[in-house]
Amino acid sequence: MKHLYLNLKRFDVPTEYGGVNRIAPIEKWGSYIVENTQEALKVYDPAEVEFVQYFPEAHLLNAAAAQCENSPVQVGCQSVYRMNTAVGGNFGAFTTNRPASAMAAMGVTSTIIGHCEERNDKNGILAEAGVTDPDAVNRLLNQEIRLAIAQGMTVLYCIGEKSEEQDRWQEVLRAQLEIGLDGVDVSKVVIGYEPVWSIGPGKTPADKPYITKIARFIKEVIPGIDVVYGGGLKTDNAEMLASIEEIDGGLIALTRFSGEIGFYPDEYIEIIRTYLGE
């Protein structure tokens, strides 16, 4: 099965506030994206390809409400908290955090966990607290993954190595996989591989042999798991990624990287068509 994910991060912020949103008023942004993508995605067999769109929390209700009958679009959230509510247990204040139960109640069916930006945030907090254990973040992410799955969600679990970790990439990725997925039902998980060292302006993108090598390694460590490219599925790399047998899809974010930079639904659809060879 192929998995085409969309990480909408903070692309809702209007340009007058320093963001990249030029497509819809902020109160309609989530519904606009679902409404302007789901019909075009109906041509694909849901048994062969799935489409998940990860929204900032403020837009989940509008996005879920915009889903038509038998919509091919799944609405996802951007990670969940490492604690959750429970019937007969904690009713869940969890101030400022995002418990899985609250997300499920909003119509969320999937979540993205372990994105490099989430890892950086957690590492920064732990560093301030004097924690130097390199596996601490993986253990925290494991708690999030377990609770998301227990709440009925699927998980896109992101892993990847930084530039200073490239000489020991196998050690780094193995720890992220084995600790992050310890005790987890991996049938509910897809791995998103992010070559962190190659992401960003001025950096050299990971090439086909490197991505293939990593995808094979991941599938050796966790047999049977699907792997998507999390370094950014775009128009200019879609055909290359589609040619890698070991890659089962990709994670799309921005669709336009020059001029009026941002996310545009018609360009998102074009990336998908290019990747799937339509």
Side-chain angles (χ1 to χ4, degrees), residues 77-81 98 103 111-114 118 122 141 144:
C77 66
Q78 297 178 349
S79 197
V80 296
Y81 187 46
R98 191 182 302 114
M103 297 299 94
T111 186
I112 179 171
I113 292 176
E118 181 185 9
K122 284 180 165 56
L141 296 175
E144 295 176 2

Side-chain angles (χ1 to χ4, degrees), residues 1-4 227-230 233 241 247-251 275:
M1 186 173 191
K2 295 297 183 182
H3 313 270
L4 280 303
V227 179
V228 303
Y229 183 65
L233 173 58
L241 291 171
I247 289 292
D248 305 295
L251 178 60
Y275 178 80

Side-chain angles (χ1 to χ4, degrees), residues 32-144:
Y32 179 92
I33 291 171
V34 173
E35 290 167 353
N36 284 274
T37 58
Q38 62 187 349
E39 292 301 324
L41 297 177
K42 282 184 176 180
V43 301
Y44 300 103
D45 185 344
E48 296 180 358
V49 58
E50 69 167 358
F51 304 98
V52 185
Q53 299 179 353
Y54 296 112
F55 287 88
E57 186 174 338
H59 304 283
L60 292 174
L61 289 175
N62 281 348
Q67 291 173 299
C68 63
E69 185 176 0
N70 299 319
S71 176
V73 171
Q74 296 183 51
V75 173
C77 66
Q78 297 178 349
S79 197
V80 296
Y81 187 46
R82 66 181 183 277
M83 297 175 66
N84 198 16
T85 62
V87 176
N90 193 330
F91 65 85
F94 306 134
T95 303
T96 79
N97 291 301
R98 191 182 302 114
S101 57
M103 297 299 94
M106 290 185 182
V108 166
T109 58
S110 183
T111 186
I112 179 171
I113 292 176
H115 189 280
C116 63
E117 291 162 354
E118 181 185 9
R119 288 180 180 273
N120 285 342
D121 179 56
K122 284 180 165 56
N123 272 316
I125 293 169
L126 291 170
E128 285 292 321
V131 177
T132 57
D133 183 351
D135 292 327
V137 169
N138 293 324
R139 290 195 295 271
L140 292 174
L141 296 175
N142 175 259
Q143 294 174 44
E144 295 176 2

Side-chain angles (χ1 to χ4, degrees), residues 25 166 182 205:
Q166 271 194 280
D182 182 37

